[in-house]
Amino acid sequence: LVLEVLKAISSKRHTHDILFVFVEQVARIVETKRCSIVRVWGSGSHAHVLASHEDSAVCDHKIALDKYPELRLAIHTGKKVVVNDVYADPLTRPMGAAFKEAGIDALVVIPIVCRDLQVGTLLLRAARQGRGFSFREISFFEVIAEAASSALEKAQLLETVQLANARLEHLAVTDALTGLYNRRYFEERIAQEAERAVRYGLPFSVLMADVDNFKQVNDTWGHLTGDAVLRGISVRMQESIRRVDMVARYGGEEFIIVLPQTGGLGAVSEAERMRSAVGNAPIDALTGPVSVTVSIGVAVFDAKQMRTTDDLIGAADGALQRAKQLGKNRVVLAENREGKS
């Protein structure tokens, strides 16, 4: 039976899936009303039910330990707790009314992993109605807990490492100041869009935006205020784009936006919406509200005339410079080599 349980959980990769299959299998072998895995961090006043055989959706259900004296004792001693009559045992007698309402007459708590810094304390808790647990059943709980502890601990550790790796990957493509994607990720994304555009004949555009007179903001209010302004602009840009679009910090006070499946008219319309979102209201900064505007250059990818994505970026940058020359706080669409917009 132990081998059957271990075989069942070995096919799972996610911690919750392993925990649920574990309690489900244990409850199948030893008749129980409730069978769950509970985790406690340190000496806190709460515990978390990580899995329950009654409901696969239970994942991180918070419970107060003062209502579970059997859990508190198992955590304190690091040993199993067996109560075959919850109404007569001094440990659980004060909670008799709650047990009666829940239909529980006997319970067992078996430590699985004790006080691990990565995992916490994991406990197997089984409860039943009508009769107590036999010596044979209690021995099975101990054996299965011992056999499963390594698998559960490794699964939890693996998931912790995976989450940490995902976090590192996110940091690698994120600008620390604004929370937008960084230039590295932009370059990967624009290469993908160019390949898609060539393969399927789909349009896509790039916007290059620059904060007007940003040096004056820094000189007047300081760099901390300047940083707050950049963060505020980033939020407004994010809120003004579509879900399929991507905005990145290109460098300094420059931002660049990729608009998949978007031609010139659509790109100009989105650029105007972004320009208005930034300039229509002051941005709250450390020294008070600061009014800023952006100039935006728009370029549409042309596979026949543009050999690389650098040509597209150069076209957007040229349009941006044109917007600056025309008085700033405006959108300009780049002309192609034939002189057409």
Side-chain angles (χ1 to χ4, degrees), residues 48-332:
H48 297 262
V49 180
L50 301 184
S52 173
H53 91 283
E54 302 169 279
D55 185 356
S56 62
V58 173
C59 182
D60 193 14
H61 178 63
K62 190 175 181 180
I63 59 174
L65 280 174
D66 59 3
K67 297 181 180 179
Y68 297 85
E70 71 280 10
L71 291 177
R72 294 203 310 270
L73 181 60
I75 294 165
H76 178 70
T77 63
K79 298 178 180 179
K80 71 174 183 287
V81 174
V82 180
V83 179
N84 273 328
D85 187 343
V86 297
Y87 308 109
D89 194 292
L91 178 68
T92 54
R93 190 188 303 140
M95 305 297 297
F99 285 121
K100 186 173 183 179
E101 182 180 352
I104 294 173
D105 297 313
L107 53 85
V108 173
V109 178
I110 307 290
I112 302 175
V113 178
C114 289
R115 301 179 181 88
D116 186 279
L117 292 177
Q118 295 289 339
V119 181
T121 297
L122 291 183
L123 304 161
L124 170 64
R125 181 180 185 268
R128 71 162 36 146
Q129 186 177 26
R131 59 189 175 87
F133 291 96
S134 68
F135 175 79
R136 184 179 180 85
E137 289 170 329
I138 295 168
S139 296
F140 171 77
F141 284 134
E142 291 183 288
V143 171
I144 194 64
E146 178 69 25
S149 63
S150 178
L152 296 175
E153 195 169 358
K154 288 179 181 178
Q156 182 71 25
L157 184 59
L158 175 62
E159 197 155 283
T160 300
V161 171
Q162 290 172 337
L163 289 173
N165 287 340
R167 174 64 176 164
L168 289 174
E169 290 175 5
H170 174 73
L171 291 174
V173 298
T174 303
D175 175 63
L177 175 64
T178 63
L180 298 176
Y181 286 114
N182 59 21
R183 186 166 177 170
R184 170 190 168 186
Y185 182 79
F186 159 75
E187 290 172 350
E188 294 177 1
R189 178 68 181 272
I190 195 174
Q192 294 170 356
E193 291 300 333
E195 182 180 350
R196 186 178 294 112
V198 171
R199 180 177 300 177
Y200 300 109
L202 299 172
F204 89 97
S205 301
V206 162
L207 313 181
M208 182 169 283
D210 183 82
V211 184
D212 298 324
N213 305 314
F214 186 68
K215 184 177 184 300
Q216 184 177 340
V217 173
N218 281 332
D219 290 345
T220 304
W221 290 287
H223 288 278
L224 290 178
T225 295
D227 289 348
V229 168
L230 290 177
R231 285 192 291 268
I233 291 172
S234 301
V235 171
R236 294 185 183 185
M237 286 185 170
Q238 281 280 43
E239 291 174 346
S240 66
I241 63 175
R242 306 168 301 175
R243 291 184 63 183
V244 296
D245 302 333
M246 186 220 69
V247 56
R249 187 182 182 195
Y250 196 64
E253 63 271 23
E254 285 189 327
F255 301 85
I256 198 157
I257 302 94
V258 178
L259 309 178
Q261 300 184 36
T262 306
L265 291 178
V268 168
S269 176
E270 187 153 347
E272 286 288 1
R273 184 168 64 249
M274 182 176 293
R275 184 185 65 83
S276 297
V278 173
N280 280 355
I283 293 173
D284 292 329
L286 298 174
T287 53
V290 178
S291 295
V292 292
T293 61
V294 291
S295 299
I296 303 176
V298 180
V300 181
F301 182 69
D302 187 336
K304 294 181 180 179
Q305 297 188 34
M306 296 177 177
R307 293 185 177 182
T308 68
T309 55
D310 287 342
D311 294 333
L312 176 61
I313 296 170
D317 186 44
L320 171 61
Q321 300 311 314
R322 180 65 175 157
K324 294 283 190 180
Q325 294 168 3
L326 291 173
K328 304 177 182 179
N329 189 24
R330 65 189 64 228
V331 173
V332 170

Side-chain angles (χ1 to χ4, degrees), residues 13-74:
R13 291 293 176 265
H14 296 292
T15 302
H16 179 261
D17 294 339
I18 291 175
L19 294 174
F20 175 70
V21 170
F22 177 66
V23 293
E24 185 182 45
Q25 291 291 319
V26 170
R28 176 184 62 83
I29 295 168
V30 178
E31 180 188 349
T32 59
K33 182 179 178 64
R34 293 182 182 175
C35 187
S36 58
I37 297 289
V38 180
R39 176 166 66 191
V40 182
W41 290 109
S43 56
S45 60
H46 289 82
H48 297 262
V49 180
L50 301 184
S52 173
H53 91 283
E54 302 169 279
D55 185 356
S56 62
V58 173
C59 182
D60 193 14
H61 178 63
K62 190 175 181 180
I63 59 174
L65 280 174
D66 59 3
K67 297 181 180 179
Y68 297 85
E70 71 280 10
L71 291 177
R72 294 203 310 270
L73 181 60

